[in-house]
Amino acid sequence: MCAIAGIIGSKVNKISNMINVQKHRGPDEQKYKIFNNNISLGMARLSIIDLKSKGLCLYHEKNYVLTYNGEIYNYKEIRRELKHKGIKFNTNCDTEVFLKSFIFWGKNCFSKFNGMFAAGIYDLKKKKLYLVRDIAGEKPLYYYKNNKDFAFASETKAFHKNFSLTKNTDRKFFNSFQHCLNKTLWKEVFSLPPASIMEISLKNYKTKIEKYW
Protein backbone atom coordinates (compact mmCIF):
# COMPACT_ATOMS: atom_id res chain seq x y z
CA MET A 1 0.00 0.00 0.00
CA CYS A 2 1.42 3.38 -1.08
CA ALA A 3 0.08 6.92 -1.26
CA ILE A 4 0.25 9.38 -4.15
CA ALA A 5 -0.59 13.07 -4.44
CA GLY A 6 -0.25 16.03 -6.75
CA ILE A 7 -1.26 19.69 -7.03
CA ILE A 8 -1.70 22.00 -10.00
CA GLY A 9 -2.10 25.73 -9.37
CA SER A 10 -1.30 28.21 -6.65
CA LYS A 11 -0.81 25.78 -3.76
CA VAL A 12 1.90 23.51 -5.18
CA ASN A 13 4.01 24.02 -2.03
CA LYS A 14 1.34 22.18 0.01
CA ILE A 15 2.41 18.85 -1.48
CA SER A 16 4.53 18.01 1.58
CA ASN A 17 1.44 18.26 3.79
CA MET A 18 -0.51 15.97 1.47
CA ILE A 19 2.20 13.32 1.59
CA ASN A 20 2.83 13.59 5.33
CA VAL A 21 -0.83 13.01 6.18
CA GLN A 22 -0.74 9.82 4.07
CA LYS A 23 2.70 8.49 5.00
CA HIS A 24 1.19 5.66 7.05
CA ARG A 25 0.45 4.10 3.65
CA GLY A 26 4.11 4.27 2.62
CA PRO A 27 6.55 4.27 5.55
CA ASP A 28 9.64 3.19 3.60
CA GLU A 29 10.23 6.31 1.50
CA GLN A 30 8.55 9.69 0.96
CA LYS A 31 9.37 12.12 -1.81
CA TYR A 32 7.82 15.20 -3.40
CA LYS A 33 8.94 17.73 -5.97
CA ILE A 34 7.70 20.93 -7.65
CA PHE A 35 8.00 21.20 -11.44
CA ASN A 36 7.98 24.51 -13.33
CA ASN A 37 6.39 26.26 -10.31
CA ASN A 38 2.90 25.14 -11.33
CA ILE A 39 2.70 21.39 -10.59
CA SER A 40 3.93 19.29 -7.69
CA LEU A 41 3.94 15.51 -7.30
CA GLY A 42 4.56 13.30 -4.31
CA MET A 43 4.57 9.71 -3.14
CA ALA A 44 4.90 7.67 0.05
CA ARG A 45 6.18 4.20 -0.83
CA LEU A 46 5.76 0.84 0.82
CA SER A 47 8.43 -1.43 -0.72
CA ILE A 48 7.02 -4.76 -1.87
CA ILE A 49 8.72 -5.66 -5.18
CA ASP A 50 12.47 -5.12 -5.69
CA LEU A 51 13.17 -3.98 -2.12
CA LYS A 52 16.75 -2.97 -2.89
CA SER A 53 16.04 -0.51 -5.70
CA LYS A 54 15.97 3.17 -4.80
CA GLY A 55 14.58 6.12 -6.69
CA LEU A 56 11.21 4.45 -7.32
CA CYS A 57 9.37 7.26 -5.55
CA LEU A 58 8.50 9.71 -8.36
CA TYR A 59 10.10 7.50 -10.98
CA HIS A 60 11.58 9.65 -13.77
CA GLU A 61 12.14 8.45 -17.34
CA LYS A 62 12.86 10.76 -20.29
CA ASN A 63 10.19 13.51 -20.22
CA TYR A 64 7.89 11.65 -17.82
CA VAL A 65 7.44 11.47 -14.05
CA LEU A 66 5.37 8.73 -12.42
CA THR A 67 3.76 8.61 -8.98
CA TYR A 68 2.29 5.15 -8.53
CA ASN A 69 0.31 3.08 -6.05
CA GLY A 70 -0.39 -0.57 -6.80
CA GLU A 71 0.91 -3.78 -8.28
CA ILE A 72 0.89 -5.14 -11.84
CA TYR A 73 0.62 -8.92 -11.52
CA ASN A 74 1.71 -9.61 -15.10
CA TYR A 75 4.56 -7.10 -15.12
CA LYS A 76 7.17 -9.80 -15.81
CA GLU A 77 5.40 -10.81 -19.04
CA ILE A 78 5.08 -7.17 -20.12
CA ARG A 79 8.73 -6.58 -19.20
CA ARG A 80 9.80 -9.47 -21.44
CA GLU A 81 7.65 -8.13 -24.29
CA LEU A 82 9.24 -4.69 -23.98
CA LYS A 83 12.75 -6.17 -23.80
CA HIS A 84 12.09 -8.03 -27.06
CA LYS A 85 11.26 -4.63 -28.56
CA GLY A 86 14.62 -3.24 -27.45
CA ILE A 87 13.60 -1.53 -24.20
CA LYS A 88 16.24 -1.73 -21.46
CA PHE A 89 15.51 -1.94 -17.73
CA ASN A 90 17.45 -0.83 -14.66
CA THR A 91 15.32 -2.47 -11.94
CA ASN A 92 13.18 -5.54 -11.37
CA CYS A 93 10.21 -3.49 -10.21
CA ASP A 94 6.78 -3.09 -11.77
CA THR A 95 7.09 0.69 -11.33
CA GLU A 96 9.63 0.88 -14.15
CA VAL A 97 7.51 -1.45 -16.30
CA PHE A 98 4.45 0.76 -15.70
CA LEU A 99 6.09 3.95 -16.94
CA LYS A 100 8.03 2.40 -19.82
CA SER A 101 4.83 0.73 -21.01
CA PHE A 102 3.13 4.14 -21.08
CA ILE A 103 6.05 5.69 -22.96
CA PHE A 104 6.04 2.89 -25.54
CA TRP A 105 2.30 2.23 -26.02
CA GLY A 106 0.72 5.40 -24.69
CA LYS A 107 -2.70 5.13 -23.06
CA ASN A 108 -3.24 1.74 -24.73
CA CYS A 109 -0.87 0.19 -22.19
CA PHE A 110 -3.43 0.27 -19.38
CA SER A 111 -5.64 -2.36 -21.00
CA LYS A 112 -2.60 -4.69 -20.94
CA PHE A 113 -2.21 -4.48 -17.17
CA ASN A 114 -3.58 -7.19 -14.92
CA GLY A 115 -3.45 -5.68 -11.47
CA MET A 116 -4.63 -3.00 -9.09
CA PHE A 117 -3.27 0.50 -9.47
CA ALA A 118 -3.79 4.24 -9.25
CA ALA A 119 -1.22 6.55 -10.80
CA GLY A 120 -0.34 10.02 -11.96
CA ILE A 121 1.94 10.54 -14.97
CA TYR A 122 3.26 13.98 -15.80
CA ASP A 123 4.48 14.68 -19.35
CA LEU A 124 6.96 17.54 -18.91
CA LYS A 125 7.17 18.17 -22.65
CA LYS A 126 3.44 18.32 -23.43
CA LYS A 127 2.61 19.87 -20.03
CA LYS A 128 -0.09 17.29 -19.38
CA LEU A 129 -0.99 15.22 -16.34
CA TYR A 130 -2.62 11.82 -16.71
CA LEU A 131 -4.47 10.12 -13.85
CA VAL A 132 -5.44 6.48 -14.22
CA ARG A 133 -7.22 3.88 -12.10
CA ASP A 134 -7.44 0.09 -12.39
CA ILE A 135 -10.36 -1.74 -14.00
CA ALA A 136 -12.07 -2.76 -10.75
CA GLY A 137 -11.26 0.42 -8.83
CA GLU A 138 -9.37 -1.49 -6.13
CA LYS A 139 -6.89 1.32 -5.57
CA PRO A 140 -8.40 4.66 -4.47
CA LEU A 141 -7.84 7.87 -6.41
CA TYR A 142 -9.57 11.12 -5.47
CA TYR A 143 -9.31 14.55 -7.02
CA TYR A 144 -10.18 18.07 -5.88
CA LYS A 145 -11.13 20.82 -8.30
CA ASN A 146 -12.13 24.47 -8.06
CA ASN A 147 -11.59 27.54 -10.24
CA LYS A 148 -7.94 27.96 -9.23
CA ASP A 149 -6.54 24.62 -8.14
CA PHE A 150 -6.56 20.94 -8.99
CA ALA A 151 -5.22 18.20 -6.72
CA PHE A 152 -5.31 14.43 -6.40
CA ALA A 153 -4.55 11.97 -3.61
CA SER A 154 -5.05 8.43 -2.36
CA GLU A 155 -7.10 9.61 0.65
CA THR A 156 -9.61 12.45 0.96
CA LYS A 157 -8.10 13.67 4.23
CA ALA A 158 -5.10 14.87 2.22
CA PHE A 159 -7.29 17.75 0.99
CA HIS A 160 -8.67 18.85 4.36
CA LYS A 161 -5.90 21.12 5.65
CA ASN A 162 -4.88 22.50 2.27
CA PHE A 163 -8.14 23.29 0.49
CA SER A 164 -11.59 24.62 1.30
CA LEU A 165 -14.17 21.83 1.34
CA THR A 166 -17.96 22.09 1.36
CA LYS A 167 -20.15 19.28 2.69
CA ASN A 168 -22.17 17.67 -0.08
CA THR A 169 -25.92 18.25 0.32
CA ASP A 170 -26.91 16.53 -2.93
CA ARG A 171 -29.76 14.16 -2.05
CA LYS A 172 -28.80 11.87 -4.93
CA PHE A 173 -25.47 11.16 -3.22
CA PHE A 174 -27.10 10.04 0.01
CA ASN A 175 -30.01 8.20 -1.60
CA SER A 176 -28.12 6.27 -4.27
CA PHE A 177 -24.46 5.40 -3.72
CA GLN A 178 -24.45 3.28 -6.89
CA HIS A 179 -25.70 6.25 -8.94
CA CYS A 180 -22.98 8.56 -7.61
CA LEU A 181 -19.87 6.39 -7.54
CA ASN A 182 -17.63 9.33 -8.47
CA LYS A 183 -19.01 11.65 -5.76
CA THR A 184 -17.86 12.03 -2.16
CA LEU A 185 -19.07 13.75 1.00
CA TRP A 186 -17.52 17.00 -0.28
CA LYS A 187 -18.75 18.95 -3.29
CA GLU A 188 -15.25 19.73 -4.54
CA VAL A 189 -13.86 16.18 -4.19
CA PHE A 190 -14.54 13.35 -6.64
CA SER A 191 -13.43 9.77 -7.10
CA LEU A 192 -11.95 8.90 -10.48
CA PRO A 193 -14.15 6.09 -11.86
CA PRO A 194 -12.60 2.64 -12.33
CA ALA A 195 -11.04 1.81 -15.73
CA SER A 196 -10.70 5.53 -16.47
CA ILE A 197 -8.03 7.98 -17.57
CA MET A 198 -8.21 11.66 -16.75
CA GLU A 199 -6.14 14.06 -18.83
CA ILE A 200 -5.39 17.54 -17.45
CA SER A 201 -3.73 20.25 -19.51
CA LEU A 202 -1.53 22.62 -17.53
CA LYS A 203 -1.92 25.22 -20.28
CA ASN A 204 -5.65 25.82 -19.76
CA TYR A 205 -6.53 23.46 -16.85
CA LYS A 206 -9.09 21.65 -18.99
CA THR A 207 -9.88 18.08 -17.93
CA LYS A 208 -11.08 15.10 -19.94
CA ILE A 209 -12.07 11.64 -18.70
CA GLU A 210 -12.21 8.58 -20.94
CA LYS A 211 -12.64 4.85 -20.42
CA TYR A 212 -9.79 2.52 -21.43
CA TRP A 213 -11.76 -0.68 -20.76
Side-chain angles (χ1 to χ4, degrees):
M1 182 171 68
C2 302
I4 62 175
I7 304 172
I8 299 173
S10 61
K11 296 187 177 182
V12 289
N13 61 330
K14 300 291 186 180
I15 188 66
S16 60
N17 296 340
M18 293 185 71
I19 291 300
N20 287 334
V21 79
Q22 300 181 97
K23 67 180 180 181
H24 59 280
R25 298 176 63 95
D28 295 327
E29 184 182 3
Q30 294 89 40
K31 187 175 181 180
Y32 44 85
K33 187 174 180 179
I34 298 174
F35 301 88
N36 302 320
N37 295 319
N38 63 348
I39 180 171
S40 57
L41 299 174
M43 179 180 175
R45 182 179 181 237
L46 173 65
S47 302
I48 298 176
I49 300 175
D50 197 354
L51 305 183
K52 296 181 180 179
S53 291
K54 299 296 182 183
L56 294 173
C57 264
L58 296 189
Y59 189 77
H60 200 146
E61 183 83 24
K62 295 183 178 179
N63 295 316
Y64 302 88
V65 182
L66 169 68
T67 180
Y68 164 64
N69 170 28
E71 183 177 351
I72 306 302
Y73 306 135
N74 62 335
Y75 80 97
K76 290 183 179 179
E77 291 86 347
I78 296 174
R79 189 176 189 269
R80 283 196 293 267
E81 184 178 354
L82 287 170
K83 287 186 75 173
H84 285 315
K85 296 180 182 296
I87 306 300
K88 295 181 179 179
F89 289 85
N90 301 310
T91 74
N92 294 313
C93 190
D94 62 336
T95 300
E96 185 178 13
V97 174
F98 193 106
L99 185 54
K100 286 187 173 176
S101 295
F102 179 79
I103 295 171
F104 189 83
W105 286 301
K107 291 182 284 187
N108 293 327
C109 74
F110 302 126
S111 60
K112 290 177 170 284
F113 295 160
N114 174 17
M116 52 180 183
F117 55 86
I121 303 171
Y122 177 46
D123 185 330
L124 286 87
K125 189 174 182 180
K126 292 183 179 180
K127 300 292 189 296
K128 286 186 178 181
L129 174 68
Y130 301 90
L131 300 181
V132 62
R133 195 175 178 201
D134 62 72
I135 290 174
E138 290 186 68
K139 288 297 183 181
L141 185 54
Y142 299 96
Y143 64 93
Y144 167 93
K145 186 167 72 169
N146 66 12
N147 294 330
K148 296 181 179 179
D149 299 289
F150 179 94
F152 68 91
S154 297
E155 296 185 3
T156 57
K157 67 180 180 181
F159 305 118
H160 289 186
K161 293 184 178 180
N162 304 304
F163 302 97
S164 176
L165 301 182
T166 308
K167 280 288 179 70
N168 197 332
T169 56
D170 188 344
R171 286 185 176 271
K172 288 183 179 180
F173 172 78
F174 295 100
N175 294 338
S176 177
F177 175 78
Q178 183 68 28
H179 179 69
C180 303
L181 283 176
N182 69 320
K183 292 189 177 182
T184 70
L185 288 170
W186 299 274
K187 284 187 175 181
E188 300 85 359
V189 179
F190 304 87
S191 175
L192 184 68
S196 297
I197 306 166
M198 173 181 272
E199 182 179 318
I200 307 103
S201 171
L202 271 69
K203 295 178 181 178
N204 52 25
Y205 288 12
K206 286 187 177 180
T207 61
K208 179 177 70 174
I209 297 179
E210 61 182 291
K211 288 283 188 179
Y212 66 85
W213 183 86

